[in-house]
Amino acid sequence: MPPAVASEQNTVPLCVDLDGTLIKTDMLWESLVRLLQRNPLYLLLVPFWLARGRAGLKEQLARRVKVDAAMLPYHDPFLEFLREQRRAGRQILLVTASDRRMAEPVAAYLGLFNEVLASDGQSNLRGKNKAAKLVERFGQRGFDYAGNSTVDLPVWARSRLALVVNASPGLEAQARKRGSVGRVFPPPGSLWSAGLQALRPHQWVKNLILFVPLVTAHKITQLPLVLDAVQAFAAFCLCASGVYVLNDLCDLDADRHHLGKRTRPFASGALPLSAGLLAVPALVAAGGLLGCRLGWGFMAVLALYLVLTTAYSWGLKRFAMVDVFCLAGLYTIRLVAGHESTGVAYSSWLLVFSMFIFLSLALVKRFVELEAARGQEPPAIKGRGYVAADGPLVATLGSTSGYMAVLVLALYVNSQEVKALYHHPMLLLLVCPLLLYWVSRVWLIAHRSQMHDDPIVFALKDRASYVVGILTLLVLWLAARSWSA
């Protein structure tokens, strides 16, 4: 850029929007999510606050909630551009529809802005109001403006240059029709990809537990029962995705402090928080409608799953040991749902085995997080009731629980149920060393800090786990097969 042009540009103030532009999120939704996390009953007050206007709603939320400016997901390329402009001596203003109580901490943290213009509880500095304010202050075409949404079009129409940040090509085209466009900072990723990631489809593999009763009862070939199990599986997947979205919304701050979880769609700003708040009831309602025809027993189990997972997201996960027993219980609930959806008789052996093995997996998950927290200050997992020193105890409890599951399996081989289902029940003892090896290996890898923070994801990518699974199925097939001529 020629020196004369650069000098001219630096004399024109740069006005920067906050929500969706400087940060890849929205302070209104950030504050609303935190308020509902504190107490969901605040939702009843939101319509009354909104009746006073959007500025009044923002003020009420800002009075009750604080957002850590240091942990917000900033649009890094645009932020670096602002730093360059600041070093060049340009006047930069933060001009936002967010409440002043929300905007000023961001400006103070970044140290880039000469002034903050924001909503004040009476006036909502958005769209035409923002355009009029800036024209009154700097004159027509007397400022450059950086924004990201359709509400910024009136501001761009009256600015000298439009800087389009984190917006779609369609919005960029509209901005060009209304004036001159300077720099364009494209969005960092696909909304569809982020939305799919938020649903966590890889976690749906956990719901395959619903088919276990059919397998252990040797009824997996009965098509009507399999179809019922498939419908139950789909209902659980929808509800589980709704709960995962809710959990991510409740865990915003904890995820942003976590080295690996900070890239999750909501924590990173790749997906709007408003989309998450809409997705939760939609997914749960769809799952409930799908599960209705499976009977009241299944619906009761599904409701229990939703209550326990919601309680876990809202507070139980903060209590040491209570959290892992909740996680283990959620696996066992899936097993019960498999029985209820297909009508297969319950097996006390299967239920007890599931309690021990799933508790071991839940403890693996927590142990991995504790090991990762060892080098942190303070040495604790944010949002959890543990400190790093709890790691050895958690490992002891987890490995013991895994070995107890193997003991239950060994005792099951001598039960009357086995004799009714298998021609060669003693062959089932071969599953015990396979399971012992797998449990021991999982804990060895966790101890070496090589375990994924979710043991289910680890198992899906681990060749040895597939080998153990195939060998286990082979043993079960051989034990059930009749060898008589």
Side-chain angles (χ1 to χ4, degrees):
M1 180 182 297
V5 176
S7 177
E8 179 185 353
Q9 175 174 303
N10 289 339
T11 63
V12 178
L14 173 58
C15 300
V16 178
D17 180 41
L18 174 62
D19 302 315
T21 303
L22 180 62
I23 58 176
K24 295 182 289 185
T25 184
D26 189 301
M27 296 300 278
L28 170 62
W29 295 105
E30 289 274 339
S31 52
L32 181 59
V33 164
R34 284 169 174 78
L35 191 65
L36 295 180
Q37 181 183 357
R38 184 187 305 171
N39 187 344
L41 294 179
Y42 272 116
L43 188 62
L44 301 176
L45 295 177
V46 170
F48 296 98
W49 294 339
L50 187 58
R52 297 173 50 191
R54 291 178 67 91
L57 171 63
K58 294 172 185 177
E59 181 185 37
Q60 292 296 329
L61 293 174
R63 284 179 177 179
R64 292 166 172 80
V65 174
K66 289 185 178 180
V67 179
D68 186 358
M71 300 309 299
L72 288 170
Y74 292 91
H75 194 288
D76 291 330
F78 179 61
L79 187 58
E80 183 56 35
F81 167 77
L82 292 180
R83 292 191 177 109
E84 292 174 359
Q85 296 295 299
R86 181 67 176 177
R87 286 192 291 267
R90 191 173 190 183
Q91 182 184 8
I92 307 177
L93 290 82
L94 183 61
V95 186
T96 174
S98 289
D99 190 83
R100 179 171 293 277
R101 292 179 179 85
M102 289 292 175
E104 288 180 341
V106 174
Y109 169 70
L110 293 176
L112 295 173
F113 301 100
N114 300 91
E115 190 176 348
V116 175
L117 302 178
S119 298
D120 56 8
Q122 302 298 322
S123 174
N124 187 32
L125 200 63
R126 183 174 187 261
K128 294 181 179 179
N129 291 340
K130 183 183 290 189
K133 181 75 172 180
L134 292 178
V135 170
E136 177 186 349
R137 179 74 178 272
F138 301 111
Q140 187 82 351
R141 311 295 181 192
F143 60 93
D144 294 345
Y145 179 73
N148 75 294
S149 71
T150 54
V151 298
D152 294 315
L153 290 172
V155 191
W156 281 329
R158 305 184 74 175
S159 65
R160 185 184 73 103
L161 277 181
L163 284 78
V164 183
V165 184
N166 198 28
S168 66
L171 182 61
E172 180 187 340
Q174 292 184 59
R176 292 188 184 279
K177 291 179 181 178
R178 286 165 171 78
S180 300
V181 173
R183 294 285 299 272
V184 175
F185 298 85
S190 166
L191 279 177
W192 290 107
S193 176
L196 183 62
Q197 183 184 350
L199 297 180
R200 300 194 204 175
H202 64 278
Q203 297 283 6
W204 294 348
V205 69
K206 298 175 181 178
N207 297 324
L208 291 175
I209 295 171
L210 278 84
F211 293 90
V212 170
L214 288 179
V215 175
T216 56
H218 296 183
K219 294 183 178 181
I220 193 64
T221 58
Q222 297 184 22
L223 185 58
L225 298 183
V226 171
L227 292 177
D228 286 340
V230 168
Q231 188 166 341
F233 173 81
F236 257 80
C237 288
L238 288 169
C239 290
S241 289
V243 172
Y244 288 135
V245 171
L246 175 63
N247 187 66
D248 284 353
L249 294 175
C250 292
D251 264 0
L252 272 181
D253 288 328
D255 286 351
R256 286 172 181 167
H257 282 84
H258 192 280
L259 186 61
K261 296 179 181 179
R262 66 180 58 175
T263 60
R264 285 179 172 176
F266 295 111
S268 67
L271 203 60
L273 300 183
S274 55
L277 289 172
L278 292 173
V280 172
L283 289 166
V284 171
L289 289 173
L290 195 58
C292 277
R293 67 167 293 274
L294 296 174
W296 289 108
F298 174 79
M299 289 300 294
V301 177
L302 184 61
L304 177 61
Y305 171 81
L306 289 171
V307 168
L308 187 57
T309 48
T310 303
Y312 175 83
S313 297
W314 242 293
L316 293 182
K317 62 186 175 186
R318 296 180 178 86
F319 297 95
M321 291 296 127
V322 173
D323 60 337
V324 289
F325 276 91
C326 281
L327 290 175
L330 290 172
Y331 286 109
T332 304
I333 284 175
R334 290 177 171 95
L335 192 64
V336 174
H339 284 286
E340 289 294 334
S341 62
T342 60
V344 172
Y346 283 93
S347 167
S348 58
W349 290 103
L350 182 58
L351 291 172
V352 174
F353 171 81
S354 70
M355 291 177 190
F356 283 116
I357 194 66
F358 294 142
L359 178 59
S360 181
L361 293 177
L363 288 164
V364 166
K365 180 179 177 68
R366 201 60 72 230
F367 174 77
V368 170
E369 293 180 345
L370 286 169
E371 286 296 291
R374 279 183 177 272
Q376 297 178 1
E377 186 61 40
I381 309 176
K382 185 174 178 61
R384 300 288 190 266
Y386 299 87
V387 296
D390 294 331
L393 175 61
V394 170
T396 300
L397 294 174
S399 55
T400 302
S401 181
Y403 294 147
M404 287 293 291
V406 179
L407 177 60
V408 171
L409 178 61
L411 294 174
Y412 169 68
V413 172
N414 293 312
S415 70
Q416 292 300 316
E417 290 183 26
V418 166
K419 295 177 181 178
L421 291 170
Y422 294 92
H423 289 92
H424 310 283
M426 294 303 292
L427 282 177
L428 294 177
L429 287 175
L430 294 175
V431 177
C432 293
L434 291 172
L435 187 58
L436 277 171
Y437 165 76
W438 187 79
V439 170
S440 302
R441 184 171 182 273
V442 163
W443 279 101
L444 177 64
I445 292 174
H447 180 73
R448 292 176 175 176
S449 300
Q450 298 173 354
M451 173 65 66
H452 190 279
D453 60 4
D454 189 330
I456 299 299
V457 175
F458 160 78
L460 289 174
K461 298 180 179 180
D462 179 50
R463 292 182 180 179
S465 296
Y466 282 102
V467 172
V468 170
I470 291 170
L471 290 176
T472 298
L473 291 175
L474 178 61
V475 170
L476 293 176
W477 178 74
L478 291 173
R481 187 181 179 188
S482 174
W483 295 345
S484 58

